[in-house]
Amino acid sequence: MGGASSTQADLTHGFVAPGFENVQKMFEHNLRNGQELQAQLCVYVGGKLVVDLWGSVDSDDGFTGDSLINTFSSTKSLTAIAMAKLVEMGLLDYRAKIADYWPEFGGKGKSQITVAQLMRHEAGLPFLEKSVLKKNLMNENIKNNEIGEIIENQKQIVRNDGEVRQYHSITRGWVANEIFRRLHPERITIGQFIRRELSEEIGADVFIGLNEGEIERVIPVKMAGIVNPVVQSCVPKMLG
């Protein structure tokens, strides 16, 4: 990301193609009104870059179009790409039970959960009762089954009404990664797959897990404040 030119606005940089000027105006509006402290926006239409903007309310914070920021649940799309690759390779069937690929997963009443149910947030694993520590997230520790063991000992969590579909905000990726690394011929993690197949192969500046040099480009996520989100959530109601 990172266009060659700058806009006339103090807070925003980059460019928009003709016809996308309103996108730039809204982008700057969000910064000026406190809805964003820092932001990046990159849009392709028909394979052509038409919007490449970045901005910050603090001109001295080092934020650029090439800064790395946490994209949160956008990672679920990357996980889906990795799992689909296993399907393409003939190594994974969404209809199969997870325990077919990972027998230890089937304990604590989880033996009938399918890969499809996991991907649809219907595995009954919306959270883990045992915390995952930072050290568990190192590649070598993932491959030593430190996260896998936590998941193996986790029971299904079902709502009082019997509904198993609950947002698996973090757990979906952890479980999917354990399936992926067991099935991939090279036993690599989803993070290693994304780095090789997306980051390096097509130049996508996206990662699940960073090297030391990349950490220097990270801008920590900050809370923009509670007032604006509350106000914005009420706007549709006010408009009827």
Side-chain angles (χ1 to χ4, degrees):
M1 190 173 167
S5 60
S6 297
T7 69
Q8 72 277 15
D10 294 331
L11 297 182
T12 60
H13 306 274
F15 76 92
V16 295
F20 291 86
E21 292 84 1
N22 284 340
V23 176
Q24 177 187 327
K25 291 178 182 178
M26 181 59 70
F27 184 86
E28 182 180 344
H29 172 83
N30 288 347
L31 287 167
R32 291 195 179 281
N33 287 275
Q35 296 176 44
E36 302 280 3
L37 298 179
Q38 302 153 329
Q40 298 168 328
L41 179 63
C42 189
V43 179
Y44 284 81
V45 176
K48 180 181 179 182
L49 179 63
V50 295
V51 175
D52 188 5
L53 296 171
W54 65 94
S56 173
V57 297
D58 182 356
S59 60
D60 297 322
D61 63 3
F63 188 82
T64 73
D66 294 315
S67 296
L68 293 176
I69 54 177
N70 194 329
T71 58
F72 293 97
S73 285
S74 296
T75 310
K76 290 180 175 60
S77 299
L78 302 178
T79 300
I81 290 172
M83 299 295 274
K85 182 63 177 180
L86 292 182
V87 174
E88 182 183 74
M89 297 169 68
L91 300 174
L92 176 69
D93 186 334
Y94 292 120
R95 298 166 295 184
K97 297 177 178 63
I98 295 175
D100 291 344
Y101 305 117
W102 175 14
E104 297 83 359
F105 174 86
K108 305 286 186 177
K110 304 190 300 297
S111 61
Q112 299 303 304
I113 299 173
T114 67
V115 177
Q117 287 174 318
L118 170 69
M119 302 305 286
R120 294 195 304 257
H121 303 264
E122 296 174 355
L125 299 170
F127 60 87
L128 298 178
E129 294 173 309
K130 181 178 180 180
S131 297
V132 172
L133 305 177
K134 287 183 179 179
K135 71 178 186 69
N136 301 141
L137 300 175
M138 303 296 291
N139 274 332
E140 58 269 28
N141 293 333
I142 290 174
K143 293 181 179 181
N144 283 333
N145 205 44
E146 290 191 7
I147 294 179
E149 186 175 350
I150 294 173
I151 296 170
E152 291 165 7
N153 291 309
Q154 172 69 38
K155 67 178 185 296
Q156 257 193 317
I157 299 171
V158 181
R159 289 180 358 195
N160 292 336
D161 60 4
E163 176 62 62
V164 296
R165 189 168 198 180
Q166 305 171 74
Y167 187 45
H168 292 37
S169 57
I170 298 176
T171 52
R172 178 179 179 265
W174 284 336
V175 178
N177 187 59
E178 292 300 318
I179 299 169
F180 185 91
R181 71 179 185 85
R182 284 169 168 78
L183 296 183
H184 195 279
E186 299 175 54
R187 300 298 186 262
I188 59 176
T189 66
I190 288 179
Q192 290 173 317
F193 170 82
I194 294 298
R195 177 176 293 277
R196 187 173 70 189
E197 301 295 329
L198 294 182
S199 305
E200 297 176 358
E201 181 67 21
I202 66 174
D205 207 16
V206 59
F207 310 94
I208 300 177
L210 300 174
N211 293 331
E212 187 171 346
E214 293 158 352
I215 293 176
E216 299 173 358
R217 297 170 52 199
V218 173
I219 298 293
V221 175
K222 301 177 183 177
M223 186 68 175
I226 193 63
V227 176
N228 269 301
V230 171
V231 171
Q232 290 301 313
S233 69
C234 295
V235 169
K237 296 179 182 179
M238 293 177 179
L239 296 177

